[in-house]
Amino acid sequence: MPTRRDSRDSADMKAFLASLLAPLWLVATASADWVLETKIESPQVNSSGVMKIKGDKLRVDMDAGPAGAVSSIIDSSTGDTIQVLHAQKMAMKMSAAQIKSAMEAAGQMPKKDAAPVPAAKATGEKEKVGDYECEIYTWTDAGTSVRLWIAKDHPHGAALQALDKKMRSGVLGAMQKGPDTSLLPGPSLKTETTVGGAKMMTNTVVSIKEQPLDAKDFEVPAGYKDMALPAGVGGK
C-alpha cells in the first residue's frame, strides 16, 4: 500500500516533470534565433519566464519557484536536458532515457497501446492575447482539459509552427501527452490546463522577438557544480 511519503514523492516527481516538459508546448523555428517572454500562473508558482531558441537548443529561464531562479537547457536533437539552479549554483543533467524512465515511474508516459490522442477543437470563441486576435480551441483527454488561444494571423506564425512540428518528431516529442499543437492553424499564445476540474497552469506568451543569441547562453555557467538526480529518476 502506498505511504503518504510515496504519494508526496510521486506528486513531486510529476511536478518536476511538468516543469521540465512544459516549455515544449511553446517552440519556435530552427532557422533563426528567437526570444519569447512568457508569464506562468499556477497554484504552486507565479513567474515570468524567458525562452531562448537557437538551432536545436532551447533554454527556459524562470525567475521564481520553490528552488528560486531556475533554467532548463534542452537539446531537442538528443533529448538531453540540464536543470540549472542558480541560487545553489548547481546543475542537474538528465538524458532522454532517464527522463523517459522517470515519466514511466510517475505514470506520465503515454502507453503504446493507448487510443489515438484526440484533436483540439475550435469553440467559435475569440479573444485577444496582447495585440493579437485569437481563436480559442479546447482539448480533453483522460481528465485533463486544455484551452488554447490560437493566433492565426501572427506575423511569425509559420516560423513558430515549423519547430513545433519538428520538436514533436524529435526524441522528446513521444513523451508529450497533450494536444498536437502543430496541427492547429497558428501558434498558441495562451494555454490554460485543467486537471480533474482544478486549474493547474496558465502559460501566456507576452512577446516574441527574433534576435541573435550567443551559444554560451546554452551552457552551464562556470563554477556550477553537478547535482545528483532526485530519488526515482533514471532508475535510482
Side-chain angles (χ1 to χ4, degrees):
M1 178 180 295
T3 66
R4 183 177 299 176
R5 175 171 183 138
D6 292 334
S7 299
R8 185 173 66 249
D9 289 345
S10 177
D12 290 344
M13 179 60 65
K14 290 180 180 180
F16 170 75
L17 292 169
S19 69
L20 191 66
L21 297 178
L24 302 184
W25 289 49
L26 296 163
V27 217
T29 180
S31 61
D33 296 351
W34 296 87
V35 177
L36 286 76
E37 296 181 13
T38 64
K39 179 175 69 174
I40 296 175
E41 302 165 279
S42 76
Q44 290 77 31
V45 61
N46 291 295
S47 174
S48 60
V50 176
M51 180 185 299
K52 298 179 180 179
I53 303 111
K54 185 180 184 67
D56 291 326
K57 297 295 182 68
L58 170 70
R59 172 173 173 154
V60 181
D61 298 315
M62 301 292 295
D63 65 4
V70 177
S71 298
S72 299
I73 302 173
I74 301 169
D75 186 328
S76 65
S77 64
T78 64
D80 294 343
T81 299
I82 305 171
Q83 290 286 97
V84 183
L85 283 66
H86 296 288
Q88 297 86 347
K89 290 192 174 181
M90 302 188 78
M92 180 173 61
K93 300 178 181 179
M94 297 179 68
S95 67
Q98 289 171 322
I99 296 173
K100 180 180 179 181
S101 175
M103 290 183 69
E104 289 174 341
Q108 296 295 294
M109 193 69 186
K111 297 180 180 178
K112 292 181 180 180
D113 58 349
V117 175
K121 298 179 180 179
T123 65
E125 301 174 66
K126 293 185 179 182
E127 184 177 283
K128 269 194 169 185
V129 176
D131 296 329
Y132 302 101
E133 186 74 31
C134 294
E135 296 185 9
I136 300 177
Y137 282 67
T138 61
W139 177 90
T140 302
D141 187 46
T144 298
S145 298
V146 180
R147 283 171 64 86
L148 305 111
W149 281 253
I150 304 301
K152 293 177 64 175
D153 299 322
H154 196 283
H156 297 309
L160 291 167
Q161 288 294 89
L163 192 62
D164 192 355
K165 184 174 182 179
K166 175 185 174 183
M167 290 287 286
R168 290 179 180 277
S169 64
V171 176
L172 293 177
M175 301 184 194
Q176 298 185 64
K177 298 178 69 174
D180 187 346
T181 51
S182 69
L183 300 177
L184 296 175
S188 176
L189 298 188
K190 181 177 176 181
T191 304
E192 183 181 274
T193 304
T194 301
V195 179
K199 188 183 294 186
M200 299 300 292
M201 181 180 293
T202 301
N203 198 326
T204 306
V205 178
V206 177
S207 70
I208 301 173
K209 300 175 184 177
E210 181 181 355
Q211 66 183 63
L213 294 172
D214 194 324
K216 290 184 178 180
D217 287 346
F218 303 88
E219 300 174 358
V220 176
Y224 281 50
K225 296 181 179 180
D226 289 339
M227 178 179 177
L229 298 177
V233 176
K236 295 185 179 182

